[in-house]
């Protein structure tokens, strides 16, 4: 757009192709936002408006799922699928296994007897299904398989590595490749083995390894001798991550895998120490490097640094503590909005405090779409663990384990509300007896599906959208006199501006004009000058799905003088 000096010009922001949070003045552009909080882009590929995420609600009737006098954290979120296809949702807090009942909205402690889940706040617990059987590993005790998963408690049985009960420990999540289960070994019989992998026979977590008649173990020293931190199994290859490299193994899984497999180096300068940040979406694998910075690679290509889209955040976060980041970072996939969600850095230098916000990427493209937190302030609730549950209707829901309030104690579970309503059953006060019709056979009575709730347990979430530096030029200074905002609801909005002359200048809280087409226009007069202006807009209520289509800023440009900022 050509700028006309001395005349009123209109500078626009939107529709949007992503969020780019950097300090570089010319890094963004009108189709990208500088920052967005608790918003998402439905179609960054084709550009779209940006919309508020659904709200979060405390599960378990708002009560803590787990309490303890000993320090603990949320350790895992997992949905198991048996051969019948019925989902069973689990969460782990402080070494205790809980099963979620999505009909009643409550958790039951189903921790198995006979196996141990480490309760340390630094311990992650990993799950994996194969052949309808759930495998569990905490990196401290022997891996085990679960059975009788609808009973209380469930049954846990340790996996025998060599047929004689030798102690062994695995590192990171179990994985499935070529029909067999794979582990990174930490130790066998107290002998360190972090460059070894071991695997099962097809479709059986309990058969194989180094049991009698099997030698399913391989020391991966062909491409390096540093420790392996995690595995990702795909239909193409088994990928393994070292601290600063990624390799792959392809071939037929069997007794000759070590001698017949094909090796390939995916990366020789970036790897990961945080397997809990691994998320696979189609043929794309997302992960965080040693400093916690997010990357992605599509099978057949090299990793790309998607963290550059939020490098201002990365460079001002606690990236200097990789050992702590490897403990506190957590990631999951939101199946409703197709987002890679990753909470990364501690809020306190050198401490193991959980993150209070997470970063969201469109899983189809790797485009950064903003940061999320729970609550009304920028310091959200603690985020110990991110994952998803699948409910009885087959609907996926983003789940967060952490505190109920900012700065509060952990032990709570949050679930993101649905974008569209689903039917809910009517029950008596005992929360267990279903109301039914008089028909034969009786039918459960359900309510009509309710529309999404946009608050976080009743609180209005912090939702903000900040443009790039509109009209920024080293040789021009602007006198801005009006801003226009197009929104998707008629909620009152707050508008602030930042220029080189002033920071966070409040411009007003206009109420949008009436509209018959669902797009609402708000105008706000300005008296603001500077070399470029960043406009921040936020709604004051959460009565519907607020969103922004476009922001327009009107100003008069003139040549900048020697003293102009």
């Amino acid at each position: 757009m050509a700028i006309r000096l001395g005349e009123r010009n209109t500078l626009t922001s939107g529709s949007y192709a992503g969020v780019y949070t950097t300090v570089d003045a010319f890094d963004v552009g009108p189709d990208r936002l500088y920052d967005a909080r608790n918003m998402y882009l439905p179609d960054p590929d084709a550009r779209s408006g940006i919309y508020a995420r659904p709200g979060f609600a405390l599960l378990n009737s708002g009560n803590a799922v787990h309490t303890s006098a000993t320090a603990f954290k949320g350790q895992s979120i997992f949905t198991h699928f048996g051969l019948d296809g019925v989902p069973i949702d689990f969460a782990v807090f402080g070494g205790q296994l809980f099963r979620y009942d999505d009909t009643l909205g409550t958790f039951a402690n189903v921790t198995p007897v006979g196996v141990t889940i480490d309760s340390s706040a630094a311990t992650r617990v990993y799950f994996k299904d194969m052949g309808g059987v759930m495998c569990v590993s905490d990196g401290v005790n022997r891996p085990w398989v679960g059975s009788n998963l609808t009973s209380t408690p469930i049954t846990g049985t340790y996996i025998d590595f060599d047929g004689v009960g030798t102690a062994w420990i695995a590192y990171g999540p179990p994985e499935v490749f070529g029909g067999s289960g794979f582990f990174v070994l930490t130790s066998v019989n107290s002998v360190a083995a972090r460059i070894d992998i071991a695997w099962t026979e097809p479709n059986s977590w309990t058969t194989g390894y180094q049991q009698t008649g099997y030698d399913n173990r391989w020391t991966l020293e062909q491409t390096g001798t540093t420790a392996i931190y995690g595995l990702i199994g795909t239909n193409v290859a088994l990928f393994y991550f070292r601290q600063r490299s990624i390799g792959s193994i392809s071939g037929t899984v069997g007794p000759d895998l070590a001698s017949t497999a094909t090796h390939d180096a995916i990366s020789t300068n970036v790897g990961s120490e945080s397997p809990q940040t691994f998320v696979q979406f189609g043929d794309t694998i997302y992960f965080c490097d040693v400093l916690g910075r997010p990357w992605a690679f599509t099978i057949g290509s090299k990793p790309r640094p998607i963290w550059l889209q939020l490098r201002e955040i990365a460079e001002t976060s606690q990236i200097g503590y990789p050992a702590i980041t490897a403990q506190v970072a957590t990631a999951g996939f939101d199946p409703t909005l197709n987002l890679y969600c990753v909470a990364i850095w501690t809020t306190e230098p050198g401490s193991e405090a959980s993150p209070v916000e997470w970063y969201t990427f469109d899983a189809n493209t790797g485009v950064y779409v903003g940061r999320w937190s729970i609550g009304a302030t920028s310091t959200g609730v603690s985020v110990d663990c991110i994952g998803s549950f699948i409910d009885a209707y087959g609907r996926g829901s983003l789940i967060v384990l952490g505190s109920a309030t900012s700065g509060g104690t952990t032990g709570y579970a949050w679930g993101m509300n649905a974008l569209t309503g689903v039917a809910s059953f009517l029950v008596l006060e005992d929360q267990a007896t279903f109301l039914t019709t008089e028909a034969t056979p009786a039918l459960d009575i359900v309510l009509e599906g309710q529309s999404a709730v946009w608050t976080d347990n009743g609180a209005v979430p912090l939702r903000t959208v900040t443009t790039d530096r509109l009209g920024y030029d080293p040789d021009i200074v602007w006198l801005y006199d009006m801003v226009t905002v197009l929104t998707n609801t008629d909620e009152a909005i707050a508008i602030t501006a930042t220029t080189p002359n002033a920071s966070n200048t409040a411009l007003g809280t206009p109420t949008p004009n009436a509209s018959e087409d669902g797009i609402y226009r708000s105008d706000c007069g300005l008296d603001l000058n500077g070399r470029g202006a960043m406009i921040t807009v936020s709604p004051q209520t959460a009565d519907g799905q607020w969103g922004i289509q476009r922001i327009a800023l009107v100003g008069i440009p003139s040549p900048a003088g020697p003293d102009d900022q």
Side-chain angles (χ1 to χ4, degrees):
M1 170 184 165
I3 299 298
R4 304 181 308 278
L5 295 177
E7 301 179 24
R8 296 179 84 237
N9 290 252
T10 300
L11 307 167
T12 60
S13 171
S15 49
Y16 301 106
V19 177
Y20 226 82
T21 306
T22 79
V23 296
D24 294 351
F26 304 100
D27 220 10
V28 186
D31 65 345
R32 281 179 168 82
L33 292 160
Y34 168 76
D35 191 27
R37 287 183 177 270
N38 294 308
M39 309 288 290
Y40 74 96
L41 285 169
D43 189 7
D45 238 356
R47 294 175 174 77
S48 66
I50 190 164
Y51 296 86
R53 62 154 173 82
F56 279 83
L58 278 171
L59 306 180
N60 208 42
S61 301
N63 299 312
V65 178
H66 179 61
T67 60
S68 175
T70 304
F72 72 94
K73 285 187 178 183
Q75 296 171 284
S76 191
I77 299 165
F78 181 70
T79 297
H80 162 77
F81 285 94
L83 295 180
D84 58 4
V86 176
I88 305 176
D89 297 319
F90 293 100
V92 182
F93 281 100
Q96 301 294 300
L97 180 67
F98 297 87
R99 184 178 59 230
Y100 182 61
D101 186 323
D102 63 83
T103 300
L104 303 181
T106 56
F107 286 85
N109 191 326
V110 295
T111 306
V113 177
V115 298
T116 301
I117 304 173
D118 188 70
S119 62
S120 168
T123 297
R124 294 285 178 182
V125 180
Y126 299 99
F127 295 75
K128 192 69 176 181
D129 280 340
M130 181 173 67
V133 178
M134 182 177 77
C135 178
V136 186
S137 180
D138 65 4
V140 178
N141 302 287
R142 281 190 290 168
W144 52 276
V145 293
S147 56
N148 302 315
L149 299 186
T150 58
S151 300
T152 303
I154 71 167
T155 301
T157 305
Y158 282 125
I159 297 172
D160 193 336
F161 188 80
D162 57 5
V164 295
T166 297
W168 69 292
I169 301 171
Y171 191 93
E175 270 298 319
V176 175
F177 169 65
S180 292
F182 281 76
F183 292 91
V184 175
L185 297 180
T186 296
S187 64
V188 178
N189 201 22
S190 300
V191 177
R194 278 289 298 284
I195 61 172
D196 287 18
I197 61 173
W199 62 95
T200 74
E201 286 301 288
N203 224 29
S204 173
W205 287 113
T206 58
T207 308
Y209 312 103
Q210 291 191 297
Q211 298 164 1
T212 302
Y214 303 104
D215 188 20
N216 297 352
R217 180 175 176 178
W218 185 6
T219 300
L220 292 178
E221 55 188 357
Q222 293 86 347
T223 58
T225 57
T226 58
I228 300 172
Y229 285 88
L231 304 172
I232 285 282
T234 72
N235 290 331
V236 176
L238 178 69
F239 295 91
Y240 57 93
F241 289 72
R242 303 185 195 269
Q243 186 184 62
R244 298 192 183 277
S245 67
I246 305 170
S248 69
I249 299 167
S250 57
T252 302
V253 178
D256 300 322
L257 179 64
S259 59
T260 61
T262 300
H263 271 277
D264 192 18
I266 306 302
S267 169
T268 56
N269 65 344
V270 63
S272 181
E273 294 181 343
S274 307
Q276 70 274 18
T277 66
F278 297 178
V279 170
Q280 183 179 356
F281 179 79
D283 61 355
T284 300
I285 295 170
Y286 292 90
F287 67 95
C288 288
D289 67 14
V290 174
L291 298 181
R293 301 172 303 187
W295 293 69
F297 73 89
T298 300
I299 296 173
S301 64
K302 298 297 182 183
R304 62 187 193 275
I306 59 174
W307 68 271
L308 291 176
Q309 300 169 92
L310 51 92
R311 67 178 182 270
E312 182 179 344
I313 294 174
E315 291 165 357
T316 56
S317 296
Q318 306 298 332
I319 65 172
Y321 304 91
I324 290 175
T325 298
Q327 289 184 22
V328 303
T330 176
F333 174 69
D334 172 32
T336 301
L337 303 177
N338 281 350
L339 298 175
Y340 172 60
C341 302
V342 56
I344 308 170
W345 296 289
T346 180
T347 56
E348 303 172 21
S351 84
E352 296 173 5
S354 294
V356 295
E357 67 180 13
W358 65 94
Y359 311 101
T360 57
F361 297 82
D362 177 70
N364 281 307
T365 61
V367 168
Y368 176 55
V369 297
R371 46 185 167 164
W372 288 14
S373 57
I374 297 176
T377 64
S378 59
T379 305
V381 305
S382 64
V383 181
D384 297 344
C385 193
I386 299 176
S388 60
F389 282 167
I390 305 295
D391 66 18
Y393 307 101
R395 179 179 66 87
S397 177
L398 188 66
I399 302 296
V400 174
L401 307 184
S403 64
T405 58
S406 175
T409 58
T410 188
Y412 294 83
W414 292 85
M416 191 170 78
N417 298 316
L419 276 174
T420 57
V422 294
S424 55
F425 292 97
L426 283 176
V427 295
L428 298 180
E429 290 183 3
D430 63 5
Q431 295 294 302
T433 304
F434 291 88
L435 293 179
T436 62
T437 66
E438 296 180 356
T440 303
L443 300 175
D444 294 330
I445 299 175
V446 298
L447 289 172
E448 182 179 349
Q450 301 300 302
S451 60
V453 177
W454 304 101
T455 61
D456 289 346
N457 229 49
V460 177
L462 176 65
R463 295 168 295 166
T464 63
V465 170
T466 301
T467 70
D468 73 322
R469 296 165 174 83
L470 296 175
Y472 198 90
D473 190 288
D475 299 318
I476 290 177
V477 63
W478 289 84
L479 175 62
Y480 300 107
D481 59 21
M482 178 174 286
V483 62
T484 300
V485 181
L486 298 181
T487 59
N488 289 79
T489 68
D490 60 358
E491 298 170 71
I493 57 176
I495 304 175
T496 61
T498 296
T499 73
N501 296 330
S503 176
N504 295 324
T505 301
L507 305 180
T509 55
T511 298
N513 298 328
S515 172
E516 296 298 328
D517 66 357
I519 303 297
Y520 298 84
R521 184 174 184 270
S522 302
D523 290 324
C524 185
L526 311 181
D527 184 7
L528 193 67
N529 66 79
R531 195 166 56 247
M534 300 171 71
I535 303 298
T536 298
V537 183
S538 60
Q540 303 301 286
T541 58
D543 300 327
Q545 188 177 27
W546 184 76
I548 283 185
Q549 299 294 317
R550 177 160 292 186
I551 298 171
L553 183 62
V554 178
I556 301 173
S558 58
D563 299 324
D564 286 327
Q565 292 181 323

